[in-house]
Amino acid sequence: MKIKFLLLCLLVHAIFFGQIGKVGINTVTPTRNLDINGNVRIRSLADKKDSTNVYDRVLVGNSQGDVDFVPITKFDVETPTIKTIKFVVKKVAIPSTYSYLTEAVDIGNISVRYRNNPSCFGINCERRIGGKLEFKFFNASGTGSVWTGSSMLVRRSNFLSSDDTIQPTDQSGEFRTRFYAGTIKGVPFGDTTSPYTVLELEYNPETRDTGSTILSLNSTGDVYRISIMFNGTLPADAVNNIAALPRQATVFIERLTDD
């Protein structure tokens, strides 16, 4: 009799769970196979970032607490082809002499330098040393390279003169923009004889000019952003513990490339 009763209980239990197939925690009316009415805590998770197994699902949930998955491919977003960002920073001296050429700053396929003007004319000329940025591209084949670019100058003065010889008297601002395009010939690295291309936008260290230039080399897909910040000779300030600063330019070049 006891055996029959036990078999009957097992049969009822199997029929009940076979039909319902749901387990509830803190609820008597589960709506899914496992229904937890409360918080869930997982005390330990394995780090699978280096696993050889493919984890291609992302768990998602709704406001009712239902948890399901979405294939990870659904979360893919379009990303640019640019893979690496490289940069170089260098401070180059700018002596108070005309026709002075600074040390070149090289990165990737580009070389940048600053050249003082060969002469100076106008009022207060002795108080200014102006000049322009120059650049050239290198490429392995040495063939012609098409390039495009734009440049912007920001100046701590309110004057706008054709030769920029007037000494600024206040701290207001002025900016100028130039756009460029051309074709140049690639040269080997270390070549100091091939001509540089001049960006026709004049910078003045004495007015602490700043500027930025965007150049692209179409043959390689590289994009370069050149930022340059000037300062004239600044005297020491002993009261504020500030050392003297010589006339110089800080050149910061970023290279965006898809290699």
Side-chain angles (χ1 to χ4, degrees):
M1 184 66 180
K2 290 182 179 180
I3 294 176
K4 291 181 179 179
F5 179 76
L6 179 59
L7 291 174
L8 179 61
C9 291
L10 291 175
L11 179 61
V12 171
H13 184 273
I15 293 173
F16 175 78
F17 280 96
Q19 292 176 343
I20 303 301
K22 296 179 177 64
V23 176
I25 298 178
N26 201 29
T27 177
V28 295
T29 57
T31 59
R32 305 194 88 178
N33 289 351
L34 175 61
D35 190 337
I36 301 174
N37 183 17
N39 297 325
V40 177
R41 173 180 294 173
I42 301 176
R43 294 182 178 270
S44 178
L45 291 174
D47 185 349
K48 296 295 185 179
K49 67 177 183 299
D50 297 322
S51 175
T52 57
N53 296 325
V54 177
Y55 288 82
D56 57 359
R57 299 178 177 185
V58 177
L59 292 182
V60 294
N62 60 21
S63 58
Q64 285 72 44
D66 296 337
V67 178
D68 292 286
F69 78 87
V70 173
I72 197 171
T73 54
K74 294 294 184 180
F75 291 88
D76 287 350
V77 295
E78 184 177 351
T79 56
T81 58
I82 292 174
K83 299 177 182 179
T84 60
I85 300 178
K86 302 176 182 178
F87 67 91
V88 61
V89 180
K90 181 175 291 187
K91 291 186 178 181
V92 294
I94 305 177
S96 301
T97 57
Y98 300 114
S99 298
Y100 176 79
L101 186 65
T102 69
E103 177 186 3
V105 181
D106 300 335
I107 181 175
N109 290 305
I110 193 174
S111 178
V112 177
R113 66 187 186 184
Y114 172 78
R115 182 192 294 274
N116 280 345
N117 288 331
S119 60
C120 180
F121 303 95
I123 302 173
N124 294 325
C125 183
E126 70 281 359
R127 300 170 64 182
R128 67 175 286 278
I129 299 293
K132 299 174 182 177
L133 284 180
E134 301 179 338
F135 77 94
K136 66 179 176 180
F137 283 118
F138 302 98
N139 56 19
S141 63
T143 58
S145 303
V146 177
W147 61 275
T148 55
S150 65
S151 182
M152 183 180 73
L153 162 67
V154 178
R155 173 159 295 162
R156 293 180 61 195
S157 65
N158 67 347
F159 66 87
L160 184 60
S161 174
S162 60
D163 59 4
D164 293 341
T165 58
I166 303 174
Q167 182 71 14
T169 57
D170 58 34
Q171 304 297 311
S172 60
E174 166 203 332
F175 71 91
R176 303 180 186 179
T177 303
R178 297 284 188 275
F179 298 93
Y180 311 94
T183 302
I184 60 176
K185 183 178 181 180
V187 298
F189 277 104
D191 186 315
T192 59
T193 60
S194 297
Y196 279 65
T197 297
V198 179
L199 296 176
E200 295 293 337
L201 193 62
E202 185 168 299
Y203 296 89
N204 187 345
E206 295 301 332
T207 56
R208 305 185 72 179
D209 289 350
T210 63
S212 62
T213 298
I214 303 294
L215 297 173
S216 63
L217 180 56
N218 298 33
S219 59
T220 64
D222 291 355
V223 177
Y224 298 86
R225 178 166 55 190
I226 306 166
S227 302
I228 187 164
M229 294 142 280
F230 295 90
N231 66 265
T233 301
L234 302 177
D237 185 345
V239 175
N240 295 303
N241 195 29
I242 298 176
L245 188 65
R247 179 185 285 107
Q248 65 182 10
T250 301
V251 183
F252 177 45
I253 306 177
E254 300 163 279
R255 178 196 180 204
L256 310 181
T257 176
D258 60 2
D259 61 15

